Amino acid sequence: MGKKPFSSDIEAARYPPPPPPSFYMQQPRQWFSWLVPLIFIANVAMFVYSMYVNDCPSYLNEEVCLFYEYLGRFSFQPINENPLLGPSVRTLRLLGALEKDLVVGEDEAWRFFTCMFLHAGVIHVLANMFSLLFIGVRLENEFGFHKIGILYLLSGFGGSLLSLMHLRDAIVPNTISVGASGALFGLLGAMLSELLTNWTIYLNKCAALTSLLFIIGLNLAVGFLPHVDNSAHIGGFLSGFFLGFILLIRPQFGYVNKKYVPPGYDAKRKPKHKVYQYVFLILRVTEMCDSASTA
């Protein structure tokens, strides 16, 4: 009597203490990139169609059309007319190139967007499309087709708008502007604002910022070459830069959604965004609203 019941260590080990609750941080969603390849196909198809409509042999002597013996109807305009190996200005204007008199005088505002899918030549379209795949696929994988689609179209529109203002002061009359460069520079601008907004999640911050600024500076320097509309580049870049603060904001490092925290885990969670992220967001929304009201 009065003795404590015997229990061996083996019996006590049958019911080990429960482990402390744990949780795993949710991984960022990886989107399948389909919109950027679709834009790539649309631009290439539109260039092929522009060469079909151009039909150089029907308007000029077959001998002056470049590569007529191989391309026939799809042969290029003479080098002295189009050094980029492409269609004539007449064809680009017909298919929707940006021109001041047609947009302002004829109320053809749709040219703000159609000019984004036209290119002056093979060199032009290849340079833009390789840049699109290099930049756009990664952004679409990280942020989704809906955000990148909005960013692409609005940046292209911003580039077209500034380009139209530049065409208004052009010395040569009836100057046109074509190309996806404004939208592509918008993606570059958005990458810069995304880096600044989501600064806490990057490991090699200085290296990422330096390399990105070098790429942006190199592309902007190309805009000073002859026959290149740098105003579209700048307009697209600024549009994408401001939109990136709104569309590409991500949770700060260490944030965990409440639904991933198990019951009984009362650890203090980080807020979803840093204060400076909200400051950037408010400033950009305010600036864009002021710009819209001024316009």
Side-chain angles (χ1 to χ4, degrees), residues 48-226:
V48 174
Y49 178 69
S50 68
M51 293 307 304
Y52 174 81
V53 174
N54 185 66
D55 192 7
C56 178
S58 296
Y59 293 90
L60 298 176
N61 190 328
E62 296 174 354
E63 297 179 355
V64 300
C65 296
L66 296 179
F67 308 114
Y68 170 75
E69 59 273 19
Y70 304 106
L71 300 176
R73 181 187 183 115
F74 294 89
S75 54
F76 306 122
Q77 295 295 118
I79 289 291
N80 58 355
E81 182 179 345
N82 188 343
L84 297 179
L85 302 179
S88 63
V89 173
R90 167 189 53 83
T91 300
L92 294 174
R93 184 180 290 112
L94 175 66
L95 294 178
L98 188 68
E99 185 178 347
K100 180 199 68 173
D101 293 337
L102 295 176
V103 173
V104 178
E106 303 294 334
D107 295 328
E108 296 181 357
W110 47 271
R111 291 178 179 270
F112 281 119
F113 296 98
T114 54
C115 68
M116 297 162 49
F117 296 91
L118 294 172
H119 289 84
V122 174
I123 300 174
H124 191 199
V125 69
L126 287 180
N128 278 347
M129 290 305 100
F130 279 122
S131 299
L132 172 66
L133 292 178
F134 180 74
I135 302 170
V137 170
R138 186 183 74 82
L139 285 176
E140 187 178 358
N141 285 336
E142 293 186 9
F143 298 99
F145 69 93
H146 52 303
K147 291 183 178 180
I148 301 307
I150 294 173
L151 183 63
Y152 187 88
L153 287 177
L154 292 183
S155 297
F157 175 77
S160 298
L161 192 61
L162 192 60
S163 178
L164 183 69
M165 298 173 65
H166 174 73
L167 293 177
R168 182 183 60 186
D169 303 325
I171 300 175
V172 180
N174 300 323
T175 305
I176 65 171
S177 177
V178 294
S181 302
L184 295 177
F185 271 85
L187 297 182
L188 282 175
M191 289 178 66
L192 179 59
S193 58
E194 187 271 329
L195 175 61
L196 297 176
T197 305
N198 307 313
W199 187 257
T200 59
I201 69 174
Y202 283 88
L203 295 178
N204 300 320
K205 298 177 174 60
C206 293
L209 180 60
T210 303
S211 59
L212 183 56
L213 288 176
F214 175 77
I215 294 172
I216 293 172
L218 185 63
N219 280 272
L220 285 175
V222 174
F224 291 99
L225 295 175

